[in-house]
């Protein structure tokens, strides 16, 4: 029964992913994203995702007066976590951004934490991660795709990110009541954990309560 329920949630969430993928075509990054006097926000999507998956969240942040930055160089985010974290840091230097809130989904949260650990210039103030496998996901053991097997709990990168706790106090993890892609959950030791009532790895990105929680975490003093 538990396996059947897990499969139902997994299959039921994919239409949300397909709909979010469609949000990006053919719409460019809104010009209004660069305006505002609030905290600088950088969007970090999940694996095989572009920034459009976080568009409902990005729109809300921009409307609240936070400059929102989209990093085109991340592509579909299939590169290794450490390499992509360096790309994020290079973009922060290029754009000369400081006091940044990284707002991420799934793998993006792992990239965000990896970037925080290497942020010698102190440009990143905080990470707000939605549905991120901070301790890995046993679902990754079921695939042969290298970019997905990188989420295995025993993967060296995951093990290092779990062991490094110095930046956890600056991380807010927002996650659904059940995530079929991350059965272990997304709680992070020493961080701020926000568990919502919604179910689904992708559905949570459009959930009003989740969007409110992201905005609150970005604006928290």
């Amino acid at each position: 029964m538990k396996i059947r329920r897990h499969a139902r949630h997994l299959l039921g969430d994919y239409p949300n992913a397909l709909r979010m993928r469609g949000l990006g075509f053919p719409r460019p990054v809104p010009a209004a994203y660069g305006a505002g006097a609030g905290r600088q926000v950088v969007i970090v999507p999940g694996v095989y995702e572009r920034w459009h998956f976080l568009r409902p969240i990005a729109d809300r942040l921009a409307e609240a007066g936070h400059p929102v930055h989209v990093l085109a160089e991340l592509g579909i985010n299939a590169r290794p976590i450490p390499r992509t974290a360096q790309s994020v840091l290079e973009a922060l230097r290029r754009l000369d951004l400081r006091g940044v809130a990284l707002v991420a989904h799934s793998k993006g949260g792992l990239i965000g934490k990896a970037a925080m650990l290497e942020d010698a210039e102190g440009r990143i103030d905080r990470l707000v991660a939605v549905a991120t496998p901070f301790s890995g996901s046993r679902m990754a053991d079921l695939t042969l795709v290298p970019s997905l097997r990188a989420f295995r709990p025993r993967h060296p990168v995951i093990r290092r990110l779990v062991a490094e706790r110095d930046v956890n106090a600056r991380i807010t993890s927002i996650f659904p009541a059940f995530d079929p892609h991350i059965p272990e959950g997304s709680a992070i030791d020493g961080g701020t954990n926000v568990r919502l009532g919604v179910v689904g790895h992708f559905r949570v990105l459009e959930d009003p309560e989740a969007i409110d929680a992201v905005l609150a975490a970005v604006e928290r003093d």
Side-chain angles (χ1 to χ4, degrees):
M1 182 65 70
K2 184 178 293 187
I3 294 176
R4 187 179 303 169
R5 183 169 62 250
H6 189 162
R8 184 174 70 251
H9 288 317
L10 191 65
L11 293 174
D13 201 28
Y14 277 114
N16 298 292
L18 293 173
R19 185 174 64 257
M20 290 169 187
R21 192 170 297 280
L23 290 175
F25 300 99
R27 305 168 189 169
V29 178
Y33 274 20
R39 184 179 300 281
Q40 302 283 348
V41 172
V42 171
I43 299 296
V44 189
V47 65
Y48 298 138
E49 298 176 6
R50 296 188 186 273
W51 72 272
H52 312 97
F53 278 69
L54 285 127
R55 177 150 195 171
I57 292 172
D59 283 350
R60 177 69 178 282
L61 291 168
E63 290 166 4
H66 299 282
V68 175
H69 303 271
V70 173
L71 306 182
E73 57 263 48
L74 298 187
I76 61 170
N77 200 2
R79 294 178 297 172
I81 290 167
R83 181 179 171 189
T84 310
Q86 287 301 317
S87 294
V88 171
L89 291 172
E90 289 167 7
L92 298 187
R93 287 192 289 270
R94 185 184 74 251
L95 298 169
D96 195 22
L97 300 180
R98 297 183 181 274
V100 170
L102 301 179
V103 174
H105 176 234
S106 194
K107 177 188 177 183
L110 300 175
I111 293 166
K113 180 174 180 180
M116 293 174 80
L117 292 171
E118 303 297 331
D119 181 24
E121 299 177 22
R123 293 179 180 272
I124 302 170
D125 181 78
R126 66 190 66 187
L127 166 64
V128 184
V130 181
T132 287
F134 282 111
S135 299
S137 171
R138 63 177 180 267
M139 297 296 289
D141 289 324
L142 305 179
T143 180
L144 297 177
V145 180
S147 56
L148 299 179
R149 285 183 65 78
F151 305 135
R152 290 175 297 143
R154 297 184 302 279
H155 191 283
V157 172
I158 297 295
R159 294 178 67 179
R160 184 221 168 190
L161 291 176
V162 170
E164 295 280 1
R165 298 167 51 93
D166 290 348
V167 301
N168 287 11
R170 294 190 282 130
I171 296 176
T172 298
S173 181
I174 300 167
F175 49 91
F178 178 70
D179 187 332
H181 293 268
I182 314 172
E184 299 87 343
S186 296
I188 183 168
D189 290 341
T192 300
N193 294 297
V194 181
R195 185 175 185 269
L196 306 172
V198 66
V199 170
H201 188 70
F202 299 103
R203 184 177 290 116
V204 67
L205 293 172
E206 297 182 300
D207 180 68
E209 187 179 2
I211 296 173
D212 286 345
V214 171
L215 178 61
V218 167
E219 295 185 338
R220 186 179 298 120
D221 291 333

